[in-house]
Amino acid sequence: MSNNAIPHPNLDLDTRLDLITRGLGRVDDADRQLIKATLQNKQNPSLFWGVAPTGRPHIGYLVPFVKIAELVEAGVEVKVLLADVYAFLVNYKHPRSLVAHRAEYYRFALSAVFEAILGLPVSRIQFHQETAFADTPEFINDTYELLSLTSLAAARSPNDELRNTMMISPLMCPVVQSLDERYMNCDIQLGGLDQVCFSNPGSLLANADSRSSDEKVGYYVYGDEFLPRIGHTKRHAHIYNTMLPGLTGIKMSATNPRSKIDLLDPPELVHQKITEAICDPGMNTEENPILALLKVVLLPISKLRLMSSIGGNTSTSAYAPFIKVGVPDGSLFSVASETGQPRHYASYEAIERDFLDRGLSSSALKDAVAKAMVQLLAPIRASFEANPRWRAVLKLAYPESEKDALASATTDASERFCIPAALREISNERVKLIPFNSTIHAGEFMRIAGQYPEIWTHGPIGSFDSAHSFVSDFIETFVRPRTDMVLYTVIDKTQPTNGVDKEGALVGLIAYISTSPVNLCTEIAFVITLPPFQRTHVTSNSVGLLLNFALNSPDEGGLGFRRVQWMTSSVNHKSIRTAEGMGFTKEGIGKAAHMNEDDLGRDSVMFSMCWDDWFLEGKKEHVNERMGR
């Protein structure tokens, strides 16, 4: 029994079970019953949470640590696994020496996170490192055995990143993560909802075609399938945290400073980021980052702090609940309203109800959340300032050249494009094209595009009702897997910035698709100029920039392609006029197979511009003249 895992006195089994399972994104009934049986048989069950030391930890890491604090209060022996081998395999561009520095940084940062929640000493949890057992003969032998049982489809099944990778090392991640469960030898494993999904992207078994479309896949499913086949028969309970959305309304990303708050951000920057965060009563509450912070971080911490203060475990105001003095009993969060009269809430549901009914303004809610976050993060910054080694390892783990995500040459949606030279800015004095980055661009694009669903009428995909669906159903499903496609964000440098790019406003999208370096050809597609910016210079300059880049010779900074194609629906008259106006040559109409009256297909008009048109027939001069209008 661990001396560090001591539950509160007088906590009965049901209360301890509630502390372990409440607020989770998912816990299956079978896992709940397994946890209950473990509590009946063991005073101090063990749990581990694994984390790969990759990008700098941000406030998203508060979510698992809120649960870890609850677990410690319930008397669970908590082990944090720094998965440095996994981090090296999945982020193979970085050397192991850099991963080692990041593992050290994570230990400092996560220790401070744990202490900041309740003021408990970090000795109440244990840190383990994957390399401590991953280099042993037993682990290596188990790895070989799992590899001998694992098909490519099974290795790719846990998530989209593995499904689309062209490298071998990420495909070993399911093997390594599954063996972590065996070698940590705990009763429970804590993970995020990203560790399990229901999209059935691949197969674990040879007869995978018979699997239902809603059947689970993911890292844990892979482990449940294969670990028993190498002799690991002990069934661990799995519990899953929800995931915190980014401040822009989509996934929080360590590489996008606008989407997250770093654990070391100063108070004024925390206030600024929360003030600028999306928070609209009309949006999906699951994508609202301010409500999410309240639901999965601030209210659970306030509840824990209130319970600890009643038990006499904390006495300093640094770890007090997020409430005013003299509030009604049971209050967990206070908000100062515009009238000066504070509102006190005993539950998240009450806050959400007031906000959706517009009795609680977005600005008042943001202000209260910003103050609570500053209070929560203050001990973490203090720990950093007081620790010379932590300050030193920050520079080793995250060199300055890697901090500016906006300057990155590749992006989440375009990094697999077959021509790396195209993954850069293409611009003139009026318009700039930059590779699309979902964490930076999707929120602003959908803020405008959501008002005009007709822009998707003639396309093969859409419309989308949110930034989340745009990213999941278009970027992740259609764009990211392709090596022949790069999607660009269009920035109008003549317009005032709307926060996405310092040089101008986000006004649309454009892409190369069907690109072949062997055949020296590509196609310009997904030409979407948002309606407020149509009938301006935007479309002609966007198309013109891609034509110049594709057809100009390498000596002129181009790709030296021989053909650029344009294909559009025969009833998309705007697209046809654009192609004709830019000087494309019409080649004909491809007739679609009309299967039935509900599936009419699409008759497509084919246009082209070839190198001889460009250099010998004056099309280059014509395009550049159109761009200057």
Side-chain angles (χ1 to χ4, degrees), residues 12-57:
D12 59 26
L13 185 146
D14 288 337
T15 303
R16 295 179 69 195
L17 181 63
D18 176 67
L19 275 169
I20 293 170
T21 59
R22 74 187 184 192
L24 291 168
R26 180 180 181 87
V27 54
D28 293 335
D29 288 340
D31 290 309
R32 188 186 300 272
Q33 293 304 314
L34 189 55
I35 295 169
K36 186 174 182 179
T38 303
L39 287 172
Q40 290 170 336
N41 295 322
K42 298 176 71 171
Q43 176 70 5
N44 300 111
S46 58
L47 170 142
F48 89 92
W49 172 69
V51 59
T54 51
R56 275 179 63 166

CSV table of all heavy atoms in Angstrom, one decimal, residues 12-57:
chain,number,residue,atom,x,y,z
A,12,ASP,N,-17.0,6.7,1.9
A,12,ASP,CA,-17.5,5.4,1.6
A,12,ASP,C,-17.2,5.0,0.2
A,12,ASP,O,-16.7,5.8,-0.6
A,12,ASP,CB,-19.0,5.3,1.9
A,12,ASP,CG,-19.8,6.2,1.1
A,12,ASP,OD1,-19.4,6.6,0.0
A,12,ASP,OD2,-20.9,6.6,1.6
A,13,LEU,N,-17.4,3.7,-0.2
A,13,LEU,CA,-17.1,3.2,-1.5
A,13,LEU,C,-17.8,4.0,-2.6
A,13,LEU,O,-17.2,4.3,-3.6
A,13,LEU,CB,-17.4,1.7,-1.6
A,13,LEU,CG,-17.0,1.0,-2.9
A,13,LEU,CD1,-16.6,-0.4,-2.6
A,13,LEU,CD2,-18.2,1.0,-3.9
A,14,ASP,N,-19.1,4.3,-2.4
A,14,ASP,CA,-19.8,5.0,-3.5
A,14,ASP,C,-19.2,6.4,-3.7
A,14,ASP,O,-19.1,6.9,-4.9
A,14,ASP,CB,-21.3,5.1,-3.1
A,14,ASP,CG,-22.0,3.8,-3.3
A,14,ASP,OD1,-21.5,2.9,-4.0
A,14,ASP,OD2,-23.0,3.6,-2.6
A,15,THR,N,-18.8,7.1,-2.7
A,15,THR,CA,-18.2,8.4,-2.8
A,15,THR,C,-16.9,8.3,-3.5
A,15,THR,O,-16.6,9.2,-4.4
A,15,THR,CB,-18.0,9.1,-1.4
A,15,THR,OG1,-19.3,9.1,-0.7
A,15,THR,CG2,-17.5,10.5,-1.6
A,16,ARG,N,-16.1,7.3,-3.2
A,16,ARG,CA,-14.8,7.2,-3.9
A,16,ARG,C,-15.0,6.8,-5.3
A,16,ARG,O,-14.3,7.3,-6.2
A,16,ARG,CB,-14.0,6.1,-3.2
A,16,ARG,CG,-13.6,6.4,-1.7
A,16,ARG,CD,-12.8,5.3,-1.1
A,16,ARG,NE,-11.5,5.1,-1.8
A,16,ARG,CZ,-10.7,4.0,-1.6
A,16,ARG,NH1,-11.2,3.0,-0.9
A,16,ARG,NH2,-9.6,3.9,-2.2
A,17,LEU,N,-16.0,6.0,-5.6
A,17,LEU,CA,-16.3,5.6,-7.0
A,17,LEU,C,-16.7,6.9,-7.8
A,17,LEU,O,-16.4,7.1,-8.9
A,17,LEU,CB,-17.4,4.5,-7.1
A,17,LEU,CG,-17.8,4.1,-8.4
A,17,LEU,CD1,-16.6,3.4,-9.1
A,17,LEU,CD2,-19.0,3.1,-8.4
A,18,ASP,N,-17.5,7.7,-7.1
A,18,ASP,CA,-18.0,9.0,-7.8
A,18,ASP,C,-16.8,9.9,-8.1
A,18,ASP,O,-16.7,10.5,-9.2
A,18,ASP,CB,-19.0,9.7,-6.9
A,18,ASP,CG,-19.4,11.0,-7.5
A,18,ASP,OD1,-20.1,11.0,-8.6
A,18,ASP,OD2,-19.1,12.1,-6.9
A,19,LEU,N,-15.8,10.0,-7.2
A,19,LEU,CA,-14.7,10.8,-7.4
A,19,LEU,C,-13.9,10.3,-8.6
A,19,LEU,O,-13.3,11.1,-9.4
A,19,LEU,CB,-13.8,10.8,-6.1
A,19,LEU,CG,-14.1,11.9,-5.1
A,19,LEU,CD1,-13.3,11.6,-3.8
A,19,LEU,CD2,-13.8,13.3,-5.5
A,20,ILE,N,-13.8,9.0,-8.7
A,20,ILE,CA,-13.0,8.4,-9.8
A,20,ILE,C,-13.7,8.6,-11.2
A,20,ILE,O,-13.0,8.8,-12.2
A,20,ILE,CB,-12.8,6.9,-9.5
A,20,ILE,CG1,-11.9,6.7,-8.3
A,20,ILE,CG2,-12.1,6.2,-10.7
A,20,ILE,CD1,-11.7,5.3,-7.8
A,21,THR,N,-15.0,8.5,-11.2
A,21,THR,CA,-15.7,8.4,-12.5
A,21,THR,C,-16.5,9.7,-12.9
A,21,THR,O,-16.9,9.8,-14.0
A,21,THR,CB,-16.7,7.3,-12.5
A,21,THR,OG1,-17.7,7.5,-11.4
A,21,THR,CG2,-16.0,5.9,-12.3
A,22,ARG,N,-16.6,10.7,-12.0
A,22,ARG,CA,-17.4,11.8,-12.4
A,22,ARG,C,-16.7,12.7,-13.4
A,22,ARG,O,-15.4,12.8,-13.4
A,22,ARG,CB,-17.8,12.6,-11.1
A,22,ARG,CG,-16.7,13.4,-10.5
A,22,ARG,CD,-17.1,14.0,-9.2
A,22,ARG,NE,-16.1,14.9,-8.6
A,22,ARG,CZ,-16.2,15.4,-7.3
A,22,ARG,NH1,-17.2,15.0,-6.5
A,22,ARG,NH2,-15.2,16.2,-6.9
A,23,GLY,N,-17.5,13.4,-14.2
A,23,GLY,CA,-16.9,14.4,-15.1
A,23,GLY,C,-16.1,13.8,-16.3
A,23,GLY,O,-15.5,14.6,-17.0
A,24,LEU,N,-16.2,12.5,-16.5
A,24,LEU,CA,-15.4,11.9,-17.5
A,24,LEU,C,-16.1,12.1,-18.9
A,24,LEU,O,-17.3,12.2,-19.0
A,24,LEU,CB,-15.2,10.4,-17.3
A,24,LEU,CG,-14.2,10.1,-16.1
A,24,LEU,CD1,-14.3,8.6,-15.7
A,24,LEU,CD2,-12.8,10.4,-16.4
A,25,GLY,N,-15.3,12.0,-19.9
A,25,GLY,CA,-15.9,12.0,-21.3
A,25,GLY,C,-16.6,10.7,-21.6
A,25,GLY,O,-17.6,10.7,-22.3
A,26,ARG,N,-16.1,9.6,-21.0
A,26,ARG,CA,-16.7,8.3,-21.2
A,26,ARG,C,-16.2,7.3,-20.2
A,26,ARG,O,-15.0,7.3,-19.9
A,26,ARG,CB,-16.4,7.8,-22.6
A,26,ARG,CG,-17.0,6.4,-22.9
A,26,ARG,CD,-16.7,5.9,-24.3
A,26,ARG,NE,-17.3,4.7,-24.6
A,26,ARG,CZ,-18.5,4.5,-25.0
A,26,ARG,NH1,-19.3,5.6,-25.3
A,26,ARG,NH2,-19.0,3.3,-25.2
A,27,VAL,N,-17.0,6.5,-19.6
A,27,VAL,CA,-16.6,5.3,-18.8
A,27,VAL,C,-17.7,4.3,-19.1
A,27,VAL,O,-18.9,4.5,-18.8
A,27,VAL,CB,-16.5,5.7,-17.3
A,27,VAL,CG1,-17.7,6.3,-16.8
A,27,VAL,CG2,-16.1,4.4,-16.5
A,28,ASP,N,-17.3,3.2,-19.7
A,28,ASP,CA,-18.3,2.1,-20.0
A,28,ASP,C,-18.7,1.4,-18.7
A,28,ASP,O,-18.0,1.4,-17.7
A,28,ASP,CB,-17.6,1.1,-20.9
A,28,ASP,CG,-17.3,1.7,-22.3
A,28,ASP,OD1,-18.0,2.6,-22.7
A,28,ASP,OD2,-16.4,1.2,-23.0
A,29,ASP,N,-19.9,0.8,-18.8
A,29,ASP,CA,-20.4,0.1,-17.6
A,29,ASP,C,-19.5,-1.0,-17.1
A,29,ASP,O,-19.3,-1.2,-15.9
A,29,ASP,CB,-21.8,-0.4,-17.9
A,29,ASP,CG,-22.9,0.7,-18.0
A,29,ASP,OD1,-22.7,1.8,-17.5
A,29,ASP,OD2,-23.9,0.4,-18.7
A,30,ALA,N,-18.9,-1.7,-18.0
A,30,ALA,CA,-18.0,-2.8,-17.7
A,30,ALA,C,-16.8,-2.3,-16.9
A,30,ALA,O,-16.4,-2.9,-15.9
A,30,ALA,CB,-17.6,-3.6,-18.9
A,31,ASP,N,-16.3,-1.1,-17.4
A,31,ASP,CA,-15.2,-0.5,-16.7
A,31,ASP,C,-15.6,0.0,-15.3
A,31,ASP,O,-14.8,-0.1,-14.3
A,31,ASP,CB,-14.6,0.6,-17.5
A,31,ASP,CG,-13.9,0.1,-18.8
A,31,ASP,OD1,-13.0,-0.8,-18.6
A,31,ASP,OD2,-14.2,0.6,-19.9
A,32,ARG,N,-16.8,0.6,-15.2
A,32,ARG,CA,-17.2,1.1,-13.9
A,32,ARG,C,-17.4,0.0,-12.9
A,32,ARG,O,-17.0,0.1,-11.7
A,32,ARG,CB,-18.6,1.8,-14.1
A,32,ARG,CG,-19.1,2.5,-12.8
A,32,ARG,CD,-20.5,3.1,-13.1
A,32,ARG,NE,-20.5,4.0,-14.2
A,32,ARG,CZ,-20.3,5.3,-14.0
A,32,ARG,NH1,-20.0,5.8,-12.8
A,32,ARG,NH2,-20.4,6.1,-15.1
A,33,GLN,N,-17.9,-1.2,-13.4
A,33,GLN,CA,-18.0,-2.3,-12.5
A,33,GLN,C,-16.7,-2.9,-12.1
A,33,GLN,O,-16.5,-3.3,-10.9
A,33,GLN,CB,-18.9,-3.4,-13.1
A,33,GLN,CG,-20.4,-3.0,-13.3
A,33,GLN,CD,-21.0,-2.6,-12.0
A,33,GLN,OE1,-20.9,-3.3,-11.0
A,33,GLN,NE2,-21.8,-1.5,-12.1
A,34,LEU,N,-15.7,-2.8,-13.0
A,34,LEU,CA,-14.4,-3.3,-12.7
A,34,LEU,C,-13.7,-2.4,-11.6
A,34,LEU,O,-13.0,-2.9,-10.7
A,34,LEU,CB,-13.6,-3.4,-14.0
A,34,LEU,CG,-12.2,-4.0,-13.9
A,34,LEU,CD1,-12.3,-5.5,-13.4
A,34,LEU,CD2,-11.6,-4.0,-15.3
A,35,ILE,N,-13.9,-1.1,-11.8
A,35,ILE,CA,-13.4,-0.2,-10.8
A,35,ILE,C,-14.0,-0.4,-9.4
A,35,ILE,O,-13.3,-0.4,-8.4
A,35,ILE,CB,-13.6,1.3,-11.3
A,35,ILE,CG1,-12.8,1.5,-12.5
A,35,ILE,CG2,-13.2,2.3,-10.2
A,35,ILE,CD1,-13.1,2.8,-13.2
A,36,LYS,N,-15.3,-0.6,-9.4
A,36,LYS,CA,-16.0,-0.8,-8.1
A,36,LYS,C,-15.5,-2.1,-7.5
A,36,LYS,O,-15.3,-2.1,-6.2
A,36,LYS,CB,-17.5,-0.9,-8.4
A,36,LYS,CG,-18.3,-1.0,-7.1
A,36,LYS,CD,-19.8,-0.9,-7.4
A,36,LYS,CE,-20.7,-1.0,-6.2
A,36,LYS,NZ,-22.1,-0.9,-6.5
A,37,ALA,N,-15.3,-3.2,-8.2
A,37,ALA,CA,-14.8,-4.4,-7.7
A,37,ALA,C,-13.4,-4.2,-7.1
A,37,ALA,O,-13.0,-4.8,-6.1
A,37,ALA,CB,-14.9,-5.5,-8.7
A,38,THR,N,-12.6,-3.4,-7.8
A,38,THR,CA,-11.2,-3.2,-7.4
A,38,THR,C,-11.2,-2.4,-6.0
A,38,THR,O,-10.4,-2.7,-5.1
A,38,THR,CB,-10.5,-2.4,-8.4
A,38,THR,OG1,-10.5,-3.1,-9.7
A,38,THR,CG2,-9.0,-2.2,-8.0
A,39,LEU,N,-12.1,-1.4,-5.9
A,39,LEU,CA,-12.2,-0.7,-4.7
A,39,LEU,C,-12.6,-1.6,-3.5
A,39,LEU,O,-12.2,-1.3,-2.4
A,39,LEU,CB,-13.2,0.5,-4.8
A,39,LEU,CG,-12.8,1.7,-5.7
A,39,LEU,CD1,-13.9,2.6,-5.9
A,39,LEU,CD2,-11.6,2.4,-5.0
A,40,GLN,N,-13.5,-2.6,-3.8
A,40,GLN,CA,-13.9,-3.5,-2.7
A,40,GLN,C,-12.8,-4.4,-2.3
A,40,GLN,O,-12.7,-4.8,-1.1
A,40,GLN,CB,-15.1,-4.3,-3.3
A,40,GLN,CG,-16.4,-3.5,-3.5
A,40,GLN,CD,-17.4,-4.3,-4.2
A,40,GLN,OE1,-17.1,-5.3,-4.9
A,40,GLN,NE2,-18.7,-4.0,-4.0
A,41,ASN,N,-11.8,-4.6,-3.2
A,41,ASN,CA,-10.7,-5.6,-2.8
A,41,ASN,C,-9.4,-4.9,-2.4
A,41,ASN,O,-8.6,-5.5,-1.8
A,41,ASN,CB,-10.5,-6.5,-4.0
A,41,ASN,CG,-11.7,-7.4,-4.3
A,41,ASN,OD1,-12.3,-7.9,-3.4
A,41,ASN,ND2,-11.9,-7.6,-5.6
A,42,LYS,N,-9.3,-3.6,-2.8
A,42,LYS,CA,-8.0,-2.9,-2.5
A,42,LYS,C,-8.3,-1.5,-2.0
A,42,LYS,O,-9.1,-0.8,-2.5
A,42,LYS,CB,-7.2,-2.8,-3.8
A,42,LYS,CG,-6.8,-4.1,-4.5
A,42,LYS,CD,-6.0,-3.9,-5.8
A,42,LYS,CE,-4.7,-3.3,-5.6
A,42,LYS,NZ,-3.9,-3.3,-6.9
A,43,GLN,N,-7.6,-1.2,-0.9
A,43,GLN,CA,-7.7,0.1,-0.3
A,43,GLN,C,-7.2,1.2,-1.3
A,43,GLN,O,-7.7,2.3,-1.4
A,43,GLN,CB,-7.0,0.2,1.0
A,43,GLN,CG,-6.9,1.5,1.7
A,43,GLN,CD,-8.3,2.0,2.2
A,43,GLN,OE1,-9.2,1.2,2.2
A,43,GLN,NE2,-8.4,3.2,2.7
A,44,ASN,N,-6.1,0.9,-2.0
A,44,ASN,CA,-5.4,1.8,-2.8
A,44,ASN,C,-5.2,1.2,-4.2
A,44,ASN,O,-4.1,0.8,-4.5
A,44,ASN,CB,-4.1,2.3,-2.2
A,44,ASN,CG,-4.3,2.9,-0.9
A,44,ASN,OD1,-3.9,2.4,0.1
A,44,ASN,ND2,-4.9,4.1,-0.9
A,45,PRO,N,-6.2,1.2,-5.1
A,45,PRO,CA,-6.0,0.8,-6.5
A,45,PRO,C,-5.0,1.7,-7.2
A,45,PRO,O,-4.8,2.9,-6.8
A,45,PRO,CB,-7.4,0.8,-7.1
A,45,PRO,CG,-8.1,1.8,-6.3
A,45,PRO,CD,-7.6,1.7,-4.9
A,46,SER,N,-4.4,1.2,-8.2
A,46,SER,CA,-3.4,2.0,-8.9
A,46,SER,C,-3.9,2.4,-10.3
A,46,SER,O,-4.7,1.6,-10.9
A,46,SER,CB,-2.1,1.2,-9.1
A,46,SER,OG,-2.3,0.0,-9.8
A,47,LEU,N,-3.4,3.5,-10.8
A,47,LEU,CA,-3.8,4.0,-12.1
A,47,LEU,C,-2.6,4.7,-12.7
A,47,LEU,O,-1.8,5.3,-12.0
A,47,LEU,CB,-5.0,5.0,-11.9
A,47,LEU,CG,-5.3,5.9,-13.2
A,47,LEU,CD1,-6.8,6.1,-13.3
A,47,LEU,CD2,-4.6,7.3,-13.2
A,48,PHE,N,-2.5,4.6,-14.1
A,48,PHE,CA,-1.5,5.4,-14.7
A,48,PHE,C,-2.1,6.2,-15.9
A,48,PHE,O,-3.1,5.8,-16.5
A,48,PHE,CB,-0.4,4.5,-15.2
A,48,PHE,CG,-0.5,3.9,-16.6
A,48,PHE,CD1,0.0,4.6,-17.7
A,48,PHE,CD2,-1.0,2.7,-16.8
A,48,PHE,CE1,-0.1,4.0,-19.0
A,48,PHE,CE2,-1.1,2.1,-18.0
A,48,PHE,CZ,-0.6,2.8,-19.1
A,49,TRP,N,-1.5,7.3,-16.1
A,49,TRP,CA,-1.9,8.2,-17.2
A,49,TRP,C,-0.6,8.5,-18.0
A,49,TRP,O,0.4,8.9,-17.5
A,49,TRP,CB,-2.4,9.5,-16.7
A,49,TRP,CG,-2.6,10.6,-17.8
A,49,TRP,CD1,-3.6,10.6,-18.8
A,49,TRP,CD2,-1.9,11.8,-17.9
A,49,TRP,NE1,-3.5,11.7,-19.5
A,49,TRP,CE2,-2.4,12.5,-19.1
A,49,TRP,CE3,-0.8,12.4,-17.3
A,49,TRP,CZ2,-2.0,13.7,-19.5
A,49,TRP,CZ3,-0.3,13.6,-17.7
A,49,TRP,CH2,-0.9,14.3,-18.8
A,50,GLY,N,-0.6,8.2,-19.3
A,50,GLY,CA,0.5,8.3,-20.1
A,50,GLY,C,0.5,9.6,-21.0
A,50,GLY,O,-0.6,10.0,-21.5
A,51,VAL,N,1.6,10.3,-21.1
A,51,VAL,CA,1.6,11.5,-21.9
A,51,VAL,C,2.9,11.5,-22.7
A,51,VAL,O,4.0,11.2,-22.2
A,51,VAL,CB,1.5,12.8,-21.0
A,51,VAL,CG1,2.7,12.8,-20.0
A,51,VAL,CG2,1.5,14.0,-21.8
A,52,ALA,N,2.8,11.9,-24.0
A,52,ALA,CA,4.0,11.9,-24.8
A,52,ALA,C,4.6,13.3,-24.8
A,52,ALA,O,3.9,14.3,-25.1
A,52,ALA,CB,3.7,11.6,-26.3
A,53,PRO,N,5.9,13.5,-24.4
A,53,PRO,CA,6.5,14.8,-24.3
A,53,PRO,C,6.8,15.4,-25.7
A,53,PRO,O,7.9,15.1,-26.2
A,53,PRO,CB,7.7,14.6,-23.5
A,53,PRO,CG,8.1,13.2,-23.7
A,53,PRO,CD,6.8,12.4,-23.9
A,54,THR,N,5.8,16.0,-26.3
A,54,THR,CA,6.0,16.6,-27.7
A,54,THR,C,5.9,18.1,-27.5
A,54,THR,O,6.9,18.8,-27.2
A,54,THR,CB,5.0,16.0,-28.6
A,54,THR,OG1,3.7,16.2,-28.1
A,54,THR,CG2,5.2,14.5,-28.9
A,55,GLY,N,4.8,18.7,-27.9
A,55,GLY,CA,4.7,20.2,-27.8
A,55,GLY,C,4.6,20.7,-26.4
A,55,GLY,O,4.4,19.9,-25.4
A,56,ARG,N,4.8,22.0,-26.2
A,56,ARG,CA,4.8,22.5,-24.8
A,56,ARG,C,3.4,22.3,-24.2
A,56,ARG,O,2.4,22.6,-24.8
A,56,ARG,CB,5.1,24.0,-24.9
A,56,ARG,CG,6.6,24.4,-24.9
A,56,ARG,CD,6.9,25.8,-24.9
A,56,ARG,NE,6.4,26.6,-23.8
A,56,ARG,CZ,6.7,27.8,-23.5
A,56,ARG,NH1,7.6,28.5,-24.3
A,56,ARG,NH2,6.2,28.4,-22.4
A,57,PRO,N,3.4,21.9,-22.9
A,57,PRO,CA,2.1,21.7,-22.2
A,57,PRO,C,1.4,23.0,-22.1
A,57,PRO,O,1.9,24.1,-21.8
A,57,PRO,CB,2.6,21.2,-20.9
A,57,PRO,CG,3.9,20.6,-21.0
A,57,PRO,CD,4.6,21.5,-22.1
